[in-house]
Amino acid sequence: MTTPVTIIGAGLGGLTLARVLHVHGIPATVHEADPSAESRTQGGQLDIHEQDGQRALADAGLTDEFRAIIHEGGDAARMLDQHGALLLDIPSDGTAVRPEVLRGDLRRILLDSLPEGTVRWGSKVTDIRPLGDGRHELTFTDGSTESSDILVGADGAWSRVRPLLSDARPVYTGTTFVETYLHDVDERHPATAALVGRGAMYALAPGKGIVAHREAGGILHTYVQLNRSAEWIAATDFTDTAAASARIAAEFDGWAPHLTALITDGETAPVARMIHTLPDGHRWDRVPGVTLLGDAAHLMPPSGDGANLAMFDGAELGKAIARHPDDVEAALAAYEKELFPRNEAFYADAHEILDLCLGERAPQSLLDFFSGHLERQDEAVAPSRR
């Protein structure tokens, strides 16, 4: 196949697709609205799963590069109550099947694996018009246009490509994550650093929680989780760092000061991430010449699966196109046939994880979940110990 694939969005899914296509000798162009790879932060740590994320990286020929960016010990986890008392401590055993990496590092190895010029930065799509026969005309913010023969929407929650296939729009779940950072924590915030530990820390209650991850370089990256209305979030002025931090911290009045320091001592402006979802089991009818992957296809609450699924989507789509080099529609149909049922179960898991963290039984619900997982691991290992 010499027909290039046009990919909208340089997230992990779109870049994985471009890389797998490159491995199979199929050209691709990635259009990305960001002006450069460094123009904004790329989020925190991701645990990369064996069954999807790691398989996708293997298909992309990047397993060694992936292994080189693993945050050793990052898979450790601790659960605390609101007073800072330890409820559960899961140390890293050095054999994590879901190793942690920084999203930015993962994106970098994908970008570095692509031929120069594959990603067109500052290339934001403003309109897409069907031309017939599976082709589409794309218009960009600078007024230029380009036609595509194979168009893939890898452009996230508010995808410009999705309306070609579906009327579905993301809806607010009622949960918002407020993102904050502490730096040089072992020197400047030792008590808080000790509470968080070497990996992830969860301090939860019904409707609210503080979740933090230790990142390389003495960084604590925090997601303050709140079940609040869109109106409540809108009434919080996040352009006023001090006022926003104080309002968020007030929701945790009475909690241990070394926990609330993750909010009040934050060294970057707090950023609200309102959690949206597409309808459970979102799918669409086959439309010639176009498809979706990642959040554009199956946006759901965060549960540790989003990035893994996006990369797996990209790899599976790339392989489907390579298997049907002379029949684009067969490739896209084969990809979607597997995509839809594969992701249905993940919607249920995503809602369950959100309820475990913030539902009426929190934190006991997540504690039971972790404890059950540890028991299953012990049962699996037990025969080899005999």
Side-chain angles (χ1 to χ4, degrees):
M1 175 185 289
T2 57
T3 302
V5 178
T6 301
I7 303 165
I8 310 302
L12 297 179
L15 294 175
T16 302
L17 169 59
R19 168 62 183 178
V20 171
L21 290 172
H22 175 63
V23 167
H24 289 279
I26 301 169
T29 300
V30 181
H31 292 276
E32 171 53 51
D34 285 349
S36 72
E38 297 79 27
S39 62
R40 61 186 174 94
T41 59
Q42 293 300 312
Q45 292 203 153
L46 304 169
D47 56 321
I48 306 303
H49 306 170
E50 283 183 302
Q51 72 274 18
D52 38 41
Q54 292 183 46
R55 283 178 58 189
L57 289 165
D59 289 332
L62 295 174
T63 296
D64 289 343
E65 290 83 351
F66 160 65
R67 292 292 172 190
I69 63 170
I70 289 173
H71 174 195
E72 299 295 343
D75 56 314
R78 293 161 60 86
M79 283 194 65
L80 310 177
D81 70 11
Q82 56 193 276
H83 305 297
L86 185 65
L87 300 175
L88 181 68
D89 189 10
I90 307 173
S92 171
D93 64 0
T95 59
V97 295
R98 294 184 169 189
E100 301 270 345
V101 300
L102 281 172
R103 182 187 291 267
D105 288 345
L106 192 53
R107 190 183 194 221
R108 174 180 50 78
I109 65 172
L110 284 163
L111 285 168
D112 290 349
S113 74
L114 296 173
E116 186 175 354
T118 298
V119 180
R120 298 184 184 176
W121 301 102
S123 185
K124 183 177 181 179
V125 175
T126 59
D127 186 57
I128 305 175
R129 183 171 66 91
L131 297 175
D133 297 325
R135 300 178 69 249
H136 294 81
E137 181 184 75
L138 289 72
T139 302
F140 301 92
T141 49
D142 63 1
S144 64
T145 61
E146 181 178 310
S147 62
S148 71
D149 293 296
I150 307 167
L151 177 63
V152 180
D155 47 345
W158 306 100
S159 172
R160 284 276 185 175
V161 180
R162 189 191 299 121
L164 297 172
L165 300 163
S166 168
D167 293 331
R169 290 185 58 80
V171 296
Y172 178 49
T173 62
T175 299
T176 290
F177 290 3
V178 181
E179 194 175 7
T180 67
Y181 285 87
L182 294 184
H183 298 277
D184 194 17
V185 293
D186 295 308
E187 295 296 325
R188 300 174 60 185
H189 310 278
T192 298
L195 277 183
V196 173
R198 309 307 301 176
M201 182 280 297
Y202 303 84
L204 307 170
K208 58 187 176 183
I210 301 175
V211 177
H213 289 83
R214 177 181 282 267
E215 296 178 358
I219 293 172
L220 293 181
H221 185 179
T222 300
Y223 290 97
V224 181
Q225 303 181 356
L226 290 169
N227 284 350
R228 296 294 182 271
S229 68
E231 291 75 19
W232 192 95
I233 300 300
T236 304
D237 183 5
F238 284 93
T239 65
D240 185 335
T241 297
S245 296
R247 188 173 197 214
I248 299 302
E251 298 299 303
F252 298 88
D253 185 42
W255 286 44
H258 296 319
L259 282 175
T260 56
L262 290 162
I263 307 168
T264 57
D265 294 354
E267 293 157 316
T268 58
V271 177
R273 310 285 188 192
M274 298 177 70
I275 306 303
H276 290 78
T277 185
L278 285 169
D280 290 1
H282 176 241
R283 59 175 62 203
W284 54 88
D285 294 331
R286 174 93 289 283
V287 174
V290 60
T291 194
L292 305 172
L293 61 78
D295 284 350
H298 44 73
L299 178 68
M300 61 188 75
S303 59
D305 292 308
N308 287 281
L309 292 179
M311 291 190 295
F312 193 70
D313 290 349
E316 292 299 292
L317 177 56
K319 292 188 295 182
I321 292 172
R323 285 195 301 269
H324 301 276
D326 301 317
D327 192 340
V328 170
E329 283 310 298
L332 300 186
Y335 161 71
E336 291 176 356
K337 182 180 179 181
E338 299 294 328
L339 172 74
F340 297 142
R342 180 171 70 237
N343 290 318
E344 283 183 0
F346 286 101
Y347 276 96
D349 290 346
H351 292 300
E352 179 185 4
I353 292 295
L354 201 58
D355 185 64
L356 289 174
C357 291
L358 301 176
E360 293 181 358
R361 294 186 60 245
Q364 188 61 45
S365 47
L366 189 63
L367 185 61
D368 292 345
F369 175 81
F370 275 140
S371 298
H373 179 68
L374 290 174
E375 289 173 4
R376 290 191 295 273
Q377 281 187 320
D378 287 342
E379 290 171 359
V381 172
S384 66
R385 293 175 176 166
R386 296 191 183 118

